[in-house]
Amino acid sequence: MALITKYVREGQLYSHDNLKSIFEFADKDEFFGDFIRLLKKYRILKTVKGKKNTNAEDESLLDETDDDYVGVLDDYSDLMYLFRYVGILSCKDRVIYVYPKYIETTSSIPKKEMLQIINVLRKYNKSRKEIIREYTGKEGKNNVNVLSLMLFLIRDYLSNGIYSNVQEIIEINGSTDYLWQKTIDETYPIIKNNRPYYTEIYTVRKDYNENDFIHRLHSWIITDCTLQLHEAGLSDIYNYPIIELTTDKKRDFGDDTYILNCIENELRIQFDDHKIMLLKAMADYIAMRGKMRTGDTVMLLLGTRTFHTVWEDVCAKVFESQRNETLSELGKTYKPVMDFVIMNPLTGKQELVELIKKPRWNYLGADREPQNTFIPDFLSFYEDKSTKNYYYYILDAKYYCPEFNGKSIRKNPGVEDVAKQYLYYLAYKYFLDDIKIPFSDVKNYFLMPKETGIIEDVGYVELELWNSVPSMPRLVRVKKLPADLMYEKYINDETLPLTDLDK
């Protein structure tokens, strides 16, 4: 049975009947109910009661801490559903692509955009290992990621070929490798002119049994893995063609229990480390494939419930955040920082982010410092070579898509996010005053994604309560960044100048 591939949008509200139609569960209420329950179990899908308008989704609904409606209703007309996940997953013979909420595409399937996003997730995963961990063979049965397992099996095949047990057959006067030591030890040569001549020479022939069960099974698994990648639309992403090594079908090997017993028997007689790991991977694949096909679990192929952390990393890399650089390193490029380090030698080894002072508690007469304090997303200096002026950027990557609704705004960052941008400046004010960067040269921006286009200044947010504080930036400007451009730079390890944000 072929997999059904569908696209849905993160954060969009879908009705019960809408989802049932999208995922082709017509006249299959029981299967659709299981489908919904599994997605909720893995916190991919959220149920919302009482919202009728599919355009009225609220940013707070995506919050992991927000309550999920778990009641049971005979009438589903009062329930709406939303996906709080970005990436690819599989459930009940359905491969689901969940594209980010800022993509407004409605007339066509955003295949091109999803291809780029999957490559961003792969890039992010290389450094963080938070999305998909490489298969090691040491995972517990419930911790194996089916995508990492398939990639391991394909890469192992490309490096080492098909599993085989080689039988060495010793012959006399064969046409393959000579066994000279055995020939000298066990045969009698003819001596002529003081030279030995061997009329019978031991040789060794390596016999590869292509009808061996494990050999055939491995050939089928590789073929099936590449077919699965192709059906899920992942073959183009990972550049693996369909590798057809056999015409065998799964039924030709027996049921899963029989196959797993055969693999277990092979493991008992193997001592080669590589073969042992490969056999365990094959066993995991048989077990995982069964779950994926019967649909009694959700396969998180490649994706995340916290895409905001990916957006933060993209912005930090593309605009080259200096948040975690030491003052000594920064001083090599920015003279005022080096002057500060010279006057305050103990700060040289401190990272820029560590200059924010921690709260001080006095409890029962004793002073105490907590471990944590404010942590900005992005901090960086910029020197205008023509004027010799220095600027300081305090940026916050916000994975939000604000919208106007009459005279109000929704899907916007909360007041605490706005307040923090002002507090970040106050936290660094002592340092900025010391290195002579006035508040007018501090850039305080929110960075939000949009689908495509150019970098755009769409407005600002202001907390008027700060107006009474002297020498204080008044506004936090809002910059909309084209995600396709940002992702292209991120994937290719390229950067953009900070001054592009000032336009």
Side-chain angles (χ1 to χ4, degrees):
M1 181 179 179
L3 295 172
I4 296 171
T5 299
K6 296 295 178 181
Y7 287 74
V8 290
R9 182 168 173 255
E10 175 202 19
Q12 180 170 325
L13 287 169
Y14 294 93
S15 70
H16 179 272
D17 291 341
N18 195 195
L19 279 187
K20 190 175 180 181
S21 173
I22 289 172
F23 291 107
E24 301 181 19
F25 280 104
D27 303 321
K28 298 178 181 178
D29 289 340
E30 182 180 348
F31 289 107
F32 181 63
D34 290 341
F35 176 77
I36 294 295
R37 281 190 289 274
L38 281 168
L39 291 177
K40 284 173 61 65
K41 175 183 175 182
Y42 285 84
R43 294 183 297 146
I44 299 297
L45 192 69
K46 181 175 179 179
T47 310
V48 184
K49 184 181 179 184
K51 284 191 177 285
K52 301 286 187 181
N53 185 355
T54 57
N55 293 318
E57 64 265 37
D58 189 316
E59 198 68 37
S60 66
L61 297 178
L62 291 170
D63 192 339
E64 286 282 354
T65 61
D66 191 49
D67 291 337
D68 189 356
Y69 179 73
V70 294
V72 178
L73 289 180
D74 294 328
D75 178 12
Y76 290 99
S77 62
D78 204 30
L79 293 182
M80 302 295 286
Y81 303 88
L82 63 85
F83 289 85
R84 44 183 178 190
Y85 176 87
V86 173
I88 316 172
L89 58 110
S90 172
C91 181
K92 290 285 182 185
D93 273 336
R94 273 74 177 162
V95 175
I96 308 168
Y97 283 78
V98 186
Y99 56 90
K101 60 190 176 185
Y102 60 80
I103 295 180
E104 299 290 348
T105 302
T106 55
S107 59
S108 62
I109 295 173
K111 288 185 177 180
K112 179 182 176 183
E113 291 83 356
M114 272 308 293
L115 176 62
Q116 189 182 48
I117 288 160
I118 295 303
N119 282 321
V120 167
L121 291 170
R122 290 178 63 198
K123 175 87 172 181
Y124 177 81
N125 186 65
K126 284 182 180 178
S127 59
R128 302 294 186 94
K129 304 296 182 187
E130 293 175 358
I131 298 175
I132 172 175
R133 298 181 184 275
E134 291 186 5
Y135 180 80
T136 64
K138 298 178 181 178
E139 294 84 354
K141 290 183 178 180
N142 296 322
N143 295 320
V144 175
N145 181 291
V146 69
L147 178 58
S148 65
L149 176 57
M150 287 192 290
L151 294 176
F152 167 81
L153 287 163
I154 295 171
R155 289 166 183 162
D156 180 83
Y157 161 73
L158 294 174
S159 298
N160 302 298
I162 286 295
Y163 185 98
S164 63
N165 283 321
V166 179
Q167 184 178 4
E168 293 188 347
I169 300 174
I170 297 175
E171 302 173 316
I172 294 178
N173 294 338
S175 60
T176 52
D177 296 335
Y178 297 126
L179 297 175
W180 283 113
Q181 190 61 48
K182 184 176 180 66
T183 299
I184 292 169
D185 292 342
E186 299 184 15
T187 64
Y188 296 96
I190 297 172
I191 306 298
K192 186 176 180 181
N193 297 327
N194 292 323
R195 294 184 64 183
Y197 291 88
Y198 290 90
T199 58
E200 293 183 337
I201 300 174
Y202 282 108
T203 58
V204 61
R205 174 167 56 88
K206 294 183 179 179
D207 184 27
Y208 297 89
N209 183 4
E210 294 187 358
N211 292 318
D212 177 76
F213 182 89
I214 302 297
H215 176 92
R216 290 174 50 236
L217 178 66
H218 188 207
S219 297
W220 173 80
I221 286 176
I222 297 304
T223 302
D224 192 63
C225 280
T226 57
L227 285 170
Q228 295 271 6
L229 286 181
H230 178 73
E231 285 186 13
L234 292 170
S235 53
D236 290 339
I237 294 172
Y238 287 96
N239 296 317
Y240 289 137
I242 296 176
I243 303 172
E244 295 186 88
L245 300 176
T246 180
T247 58
D248 284 336
K249 305 298 181 185
K250 168 71 164 50
R251 62 178 176 269
D252 296 330
F253 298 93
D255 61 21
D256 288 357
T257 301
Y258 177 76
I259 294 172
L260 292 172
N261 283 337
C262 289
I263 295 174
E264 186 64 33
N265 290 337
E266 184 72 12
L267 276 167
R268 290 194 185 100
I269 63 172
Q270 281 299 344
F271 299 96
D272 180 274
D273 288 342
H274 169 257
K275 285 188 175 182
I276 290 172
M277 184 172 181
L278 178 57
L279 287 166
K280 288 181 177 179
M282 290 166 64
D284 284 337
Y285 184 74
I286 295 298
M288 294 295 286
R289 187 183 187 277
K291 289 181 180 180
M292 188 162 68
R293 288 294 181 177
T294 57
D296 61 355
T297 189
V298 172
M299 302 297 177
L300 306 180
L301 297 179
L302 182 63
T304 178
R305 286 184 288 267
T306 55
F307 194 73
H308 66 276
T309 62
V310 179
W311 177 244
E312 290 168 5
D313 196 55
V314 168
C315 292
K317 294 292 195 307
V318 171
F319 288 109
E320 297 184 283
S321 174
Q322 297 169 345
R323 186 186 76 169
N324 296 110
E325 292 189 33
T326 65
L327 295 193
S328 292
E329 284 297 316
L330 289 169
K332 295 175 183 178
T333 306
Y334 305 101
K335 185 178 182 300
V337 179
M338 182 54 72
D339 292 341
F340 180 85
V341 172
I342 290 172
M343 296 302 295
N344 304 273
L346 295 179
T347 64
K349 292 183 180 180
Q350 281 187 293
E351 295 178 358
L352 188 56
V353 70
E354 294 174 337
L355 290 183
I356 295 182
K357 299 184 184 302
K358 297 177 180 179
R360 192 178 74 232
W361 286 76
N362 183 284
Y363 188 71
L364 299 177
D367 287 337
R368 294 290 183 269
E369 268 191 3
Q371 298 233 333
N372 300 320
T373 185
F374 292 115
I375 302 178
D377 279 355
F378 184 109
L379 302 167
S380 197
F381 291 97
Y382 171 74
E383 180 186 6
D384 185 331
K385 301 293 184 183
S386 61
T387 63
K388 301 299 182 182
N389 281 352
Y390 292 92
Y391 298 88
Y392 193 59
Y393 286 77
I394 304 174
L395 309 180
D396 196 1
K398 285 296 178 192
Y399 184 58
Y400 284 80
C401 303
E403 291 179 0
F404 287 108
N405 183 21
K407 293 184 178 181
S408 64
I409 187 171
R410 60 194 181 98
K411 302 184 187 178
N412 54 289
V415 66
E416 66 279 1
D417 294 311
V418 178
K420 278 196 294 186
Q421 286 302 107
Y422 288 93
L423 291 172
Y424 290 152
Y425 168 75
L426 288 175
Y428 281 97
K429 189 176 185 305
Y430 78 97
F431 172 63
L432 296 173
D433 287 346
D434 198 294
I435 62 176
K436 305 294 190 296
I437 295 182
F439 76 92
S440 56
D441 290 338
V442 175
K443 313 289 186 177
N444 207 336
Y445 300 155
F446 281 146
L447 307 182
M448 299 181 186
K450 65 177 184 175
E451 195 169 341
T452 189
I454 61 172
I455 296 174
E456 186 180 9
D457 186 302
V458 296
Y460 61 85
V461 59
E462 179 181 16
L463 271 181
E464 294 185 353
L465 62 89
W466 295 108
N467 288 350
S468 60
V469 180
S471 302
M472 182 78 176
R474 298 292 175 227
L475 311 174
V476 179
R477 300 212 66 88
V478 179
K479 306 289 180 173
K480 279 291 191 82
L481 312 182
D484 56 351
L485 172 64
M486 294 292 290
Y487 295 159
E488 178 187 347
K489 298 296 182 183
Y490 180 74
I491 292 167
N492 296 320
D493 292 318
E494 297 174 351
T495 61
L496 290 171
L498 278 169
T499 49
D500 280 6
L501 296 171
D502 301 331
K503 299 174 183 177

